[in-house]
Structure formats: C-alpha cells, structure tokens
Amino acid sequence: MLKIENLHVEVDGKEILKGLTLEVNPGEIHAVMGPNGAGKSTLGNVLAGRDGFEVTAGSIRFLGEDLLTLSPDERAIAGLFLAFQYPVAIPGVNNAYFLRTALNAQRTARGEPELDAMGFLKLAREQAGILDMDDKLLQRAVNDGFSGGEKKRNEILQMAILEPKLAVLDETDSGLDIDALRIVSQGVNRLRDPQRSMIVITHYQRLLDHIVPDVVHVLADGQIVASGDKSLAMKLEKEGYAWLKATKTASEALTLAS
Amino acid sequence: MSNAQIEQIIESRYKHGFVTDIDSDTVPPGLDENVIRFISAKKEEPEWLTEWRLEAYRHWLNMTPPDWAKLQVPGIDFQSISYYSAPKKESDKPQSLDEVDPKLLETYDKLGVPLHERARLAGVAVDAVFDSVSVATTFKDKLRDVGVIFCSFSEAAKTHPELVKKYLGTVVPTSDNFFAALNCAVFTDGSFVYIPKGVRCPMELSTYFRINAINTGQFERTLIIADKGSYVSYLEGCTAPMRDENQLHAAVVELIALEDAEIRYSTVQNWYPGDENGKGGIYNFVTKRGDCQGDRARISWTQVETGSAITWKYPSCILRGDDSSGEFYSVALTHNYQQADTGTKMIHLGKNTKSRIISKGISAGHGQNSYRGLVKVGKNADHARNFTQCDSLLIGKQCGAHTFPYIESKNPSAKVEHEATTSSIGEDQLFYCQSRGLDEETAVAMIVNGFCKEVFQKLPMEFAVEARALLEVSLEGAVG
Ligand SMILES: Nc1ncnc2c1ncn2[C@@H]1O[C@H](COP(=O)(O)OP(=O)(O)OP(=O)(O)O)[C@@H](O)[C@H]1O
Ligand SMILES: [Mg+2]
C-alpha cells in the first residue's frame, strides 16, 4: 500500500523529517505517536502533497506508484485522504456542495458515474447520522464557525464518503468529548477493510482503545524511533517519551518496546 | 437554487469569441451638432428632445474626462468614433420573434441566451438591444394587462412623451459628468419602464445588450419609473464577442422610485475584458443613479462586473424621501490587465434613511480593483444609517486592491459604519480543496464564489447561476 523510505523533508530550509522509513500493508492500521513538533503533521502534509514541504531525499511509493510525482488532487483521486489536524474554513461554500463536487471530481477521474444531488444528499445524511452529526452542518459553509469537535466529525464524514484507500488521521481525537470519541471511532472502525489502510496520528492511548492499531510507531525528531504493538502506546502513556530519549539508538528502543 | 441547477447551467457556459457580420448602417466617425441632429432624426424624435441633446452636447464641449479615478485610461479620440449604427431595415422592426433575423437569433443562441426559450421558460419579458436598436420585445401583452410599459427608449419617446419629458435627465442631468453628457447628446437607444401605481410587475424585466459593429461607441439610455407603491425587478446582462479594438461604452441609467415603490436593478456584466496581455477590451464609463423621491421608497443595485478592460461605475442612490432606503451589492473582478474603479454614492437627504453597501473586489493577474464609495448625510437627514462592508480578495502577487471610502456627515444623529478587509486567497484553503480531489481551477472558483455569496444571494436565480459561471470563466488561468 504505502512504502516510505529514508524520507528527508525540509520546510523553509529547515529539515523536519530526517530519514523516515515506514511501510503500511493493505488493511493495516498504524498509529503514529510522538512529542509535539516531532514531524507528525509534516508527514501527513508531505503525503498529501502540500506546497512548501520539500522532499530532499528518499522516496514514497503508494500502490506501486511514485507518489511524489502527483499533485495533491491526483493523490486524492489515487485514494489518499488526509484528515487535517486543523481543518480550514471556506466561508460561503456550502458543505454538502463542496463534498459532492469533490466526490464527483474523484469519480469522474476514475471513470465512474457522478452522483446526483439527491443521491448524494441521501448518502451524506446517512453517513452524518452514523457519526451523530447534525444534518444542518451539511448546509453550512465548510467548517465555518464549526466547533472543534464538529470540524473533526466533518473530516471523518468526508473520509466516509470519499472512501479512500489510505487515510491519514491527524489528531482526529483532539477536541472530541468522550462520547464523540466513541462515536467517531466507531465511524472509523466501520471503514476498516482488508483493502483500506490507515495512519492514525494521536497523542493519546485512549483513542487506540477504540481504534485498535496493528502497529504503533513513535516519531521523534523526524524519525521513527520505536515501533511495536499496542503495549508500546500504553508504556508511552505511563512513562512519556523521556525513556526513549535516554536510549541511544532506535534499534535499542525497539528492543525495549517489545 | 439547487446545486444541480447551478451545475447544469455552468456546464452550458457561454462560448465567447465570435463576431456576427450583420451589415450596419453607420454614420462616419466624428461628432458635431449635425451628427446629433441626424441621430435624433433617425429616431424620429420630437423637437424638445433634439434640443435637449444639443444642450448636453454644448455642456460636453466644455467638460473634460474625469481624472480622479485610480485608472490608467488611454486617450480616447472622440472624433474617431462613429456615433450611430443600426441593423438594416430600421423602419420595419420585427413585431415578434418570428420576424427577427434568424442570424441574430443564432447569435443569441451562441451566447447561451436562447431568447424565445428563455422567455417562455422563465416568464421573462425580454427587450433585446442589438447594435443600439431594439429588435425584439416580448411579453408585451402580459405587461400591458397590468399597465406596465416596457419598451425601447425610442418607442417611449413617441408613445409616452409626457413621461419621458417629465423624468428624463431629472436624476442624471445633462451636465452631470463628461460621459453622461456625451450619452445625453448621442444616445441611440435603451429601455424604458413605467410601473403604474400599486402594481407589482408580474415578471422580471430583462435586457440583453450586445456590442457588435466595429468601432462604434455604444450609448444606452435607460429610464425606469416606479410609481407609488409599485415594484419592479430589472435585469441587465451583457456579453460581447472577441475583438481587438477598444470600444467605448458610456451608458446612463436613471431610476425613479416614488412613495412606497421598490426598484431592484441587477447587472451581470461580461464585456470583452481584453486579452491576457491587456490588448483590446471594452472601456465602460457608466452613470447609474436612482432617486428615492417618495417616502419609504427603496432602490437596490446589484452588480457583477467581470468584463471590460476599464470599468468606471458608481451606481448610486439619492435617498430623498423620509424612511427611504438604498442598497448596493457588488462583485467586481479584475484579471490580467483589467482595471476597475467602482463603488457607489449614498446620499441621505430624508429622515430615517438607510443604506447598505456590500462590495466584494477580486483581483487576479495584474488586475487593479478599487472600491470608491461616498456616504453623504445631509443636515436634515436625522437618524440616517449606513453600513458599509468592503472586502477585497487577492489572487497572486501582481494585482492590487484599493479602498477609498468617503464619509461626509452634516447631521450628528447619523450613524455610519464601515468595515473593510483585504485577504489573499488562502494557500491552506486551496490545499484543503485539492486534497479532496478538486483541481486548482475548480478550487479557486469555489473559494471565490464563496467569497461573493452575499452578493450572489441578492441576484434573481437565473442570474446568480450565470454570475457563478462567469466568474469561473473569468478566473481561468488565474492561478498556477
Ligand atoms: N512553515 C514552517 N516553517 C518552519 N518550521 C515549520 C513550518 N511548519 C512546521 N514547522 C516545524 O516543523 C516541526 C514539526 O511540525 P509538525 O507540525 O509536523 O509537528 P507535530 O509532530 O505534528 O506536532 P504536534 O504534536 O504539536 O501536532 C515543528 O518544529 C514546526 O515548528
Ligand atoms: Mg501535528
């Protein structure tokens, strides 16, 4: 599905990712944890193709293709989805219209038939219902005046409707209350599929109680410094990241975690 | 309006860039009193109107073009312009669409304005002005039933001289400004509307203008009178074929709203803006003004300006009656080397008068976009209120947005509010759209349409759809 090798990324001339390697197989869920400023969102942005994130070395292959040659919209059409840590508002643009236009752009590019307004609204209402999201949000401007939790739900709604092959969820749990966390996680779990992979960026182990990952990684200072199973997340929750810093090499950390 | 409808019409967007070669019957270039007498004679006008034109011409001779706008205007040689052109057989104008030159109808079809269809489906009466002369007027019967007069200006001068004489030039006098004076002297045609007392006009009135003959300035004259307690919504739309010459356009629109009357005037303007290097394009110097003469009268201007190389235009309201109100909703887009200096004047004279100004300026490429607005409160205008919101959106680094708000208040009880913002189209918004699978152009169009929403909402539905489509076409190539 996704193969990142020795990825180096600079932003404004400053190196943020420093030789990151990560492989995600179809159907897998990978959790990425790590201290503030480690480069987690940078990873999401690079995958989605944001301007200004310059890849200086390394490679990313997505479904066998060189991801780095594709524009952001081509990546979306190829099946990549980023749920933003801070979704941006687009004043005056109807949320349902936005999402339907996006869906149909993707469908058209893939040679699939477009969904008409009625068909779309039915789908959107159904998915919004699953996420316990107020229908009214569909008729408001994209993320405009949405609460933090509403924005996060809206991201997951988009994911549910666009049905990507690989989804990167950047701190989708931050800002959600306990009930919302459960509901959104259920929404995400419904989308679990042997053909769909996810990278879940989070600071909190409790999300991983709901969305159980296959692998947990620790990203620190631009590299994956530890990988393990769910117990790694629990250890981090208890002990923080300090013990990782104390270990000298990533491989040592790996051993510690397992 | 549903998204499906919007999309359907966007898909059938105009195709631009063709010229119809209907032979024109044109006077040689140049302007003097003889040319004015010729025009007046062609139109079979009464003596007083000829004299009125000549008076305007004499004013004009002593005037100079305005130079205060933030516009680079190439020198215009007014003697190289031909001031009259009309389709052949001016004497036997068609009385119905069946009689209209099929070639002309074909032109409208190409423009995406299938006249008959549009008229039938939308119930809109259409007074199509082609090369300065009205060639088709529909739905007259339906309007006649309720006593609404909707005809070409020349026709009104013949059939309703008392109304024309009473109101012509009362809002925009012959000496008002250089371009208005020129219009008064040489206008060839336009539209005339009269809504009788207490009548709500049963349909939206719509006129499509089109400039066609080479090197011919276009001088429309529109006069709309809404008698006491009446209501009318008037739509003006313009398209033009691709061409190289710069063309001068100097229209005058006068609106008169008597007691309790309401006039809504909407324009979607899409004249040729010139090419991507700034070559060619229409020069649009327009004077539009409404007079809320009666108490509680209301006038609302809504404009979407995407065309023209140069736009100089300030649709204004004189709020004379007590409790009268004026509105101005505007979207002005400048791309490539287009320049726009546009805005409004709200003149509060009556008590408790209200005005509202919402201006959205969009600049892309090397476009220069200025908002210029005057809110004036007279000493008797107790408790006058104005709210102005003026937002500018920049696309790219070479364009410019400028705001010139002027406030003159002679009444201490007046309340005038002004809000202004300038922003660049957000990289984060663009990326967000693209990350969902929208290409850059679609994303820009979507963000810009969102920015303009408040204004589009004020347009009649089919116009809103057209406006969105136009904006999209006008922004092609704005990014990347
Ligand atoms: N435009 C920029 N210019 C300079 N530095 C930047 C820029 N964008 C990001 N950075 C830096 O890159 C580093 C990684 O940022 P990133 O957002 O990827 O962190 P993160 O791991 O997602 O952190 P958090 O857990 O707080 O969300 C930070 O030090 C950040 O300040
Ligand atoms: Mg982050």
Side-chain angles (χ1 to χ4, degrees), chain A residues 40-42 85-86 170-171 201 203:
Chain A
K40 303 182 297 297
S41 294
T42 302
Q85 183 175 0
Y86 305 109
D170 192 353
E171 296 199 25
I201 297 170
H203 284 293

Side-chain angles (χ1 to χ4, degrees), chain A residues 50 73 76 81-82 84 88-89 91-93 97 100-102 106 143 155 158, chain B residues 3-4 7 427-429 431-439 446 450 453 468:
Chain A
R50 189 173 198 139
D73 47 316
F81 180 88
L82 171 64
F84 286 77
V88 60
V93 176
Y97 176 70
R100 186 164 70 90
T101 309
Q106 295 201 15
N143 293 324
E155 295 291 288
Q158 293 180 3
Chain B
N3 292 321
E7 280 187 359
E427 179 271 334
D428 49 349
Q429 290 176 330
F431 177 61
Y432 190 78
C433 294
Q434 287 178 282
S435 77
R436 299 304 181 240
L438 301 177
D439 62 45
M446 194 176 263
K453 190 178 177 196
R468 285 185 72 134

Side-chain angles (χ1 to χ4, degrees), chain B residues 359-373:
Chain B
S359 160
K360 305 277 179 177
I362 302 146
S363 318
H366 293 83
Q368 292 294 327
N369 209 322
S370 302
Y371 166 81
R372 188 180 302 277

Side-chain angles (χ1 to χ4, degrees), chain A residues 54-85:
Chain A
E54 203 196 334
V55 175
T56 51
S59 68
I60 308 178
R61 300 197 72 77
F62 177 56
L63 295 165
E65 263 190 284
D66 180 359
L67 188 71
L68 297 175
T69 59
L70 303 181
S71 63
D73 47 316
E74 289 168 338
R75 294 179 194 204
I77 288 158
L80 190 106
F81 180 88
L82 171 64
F84 286 77
Q85 183 175 0

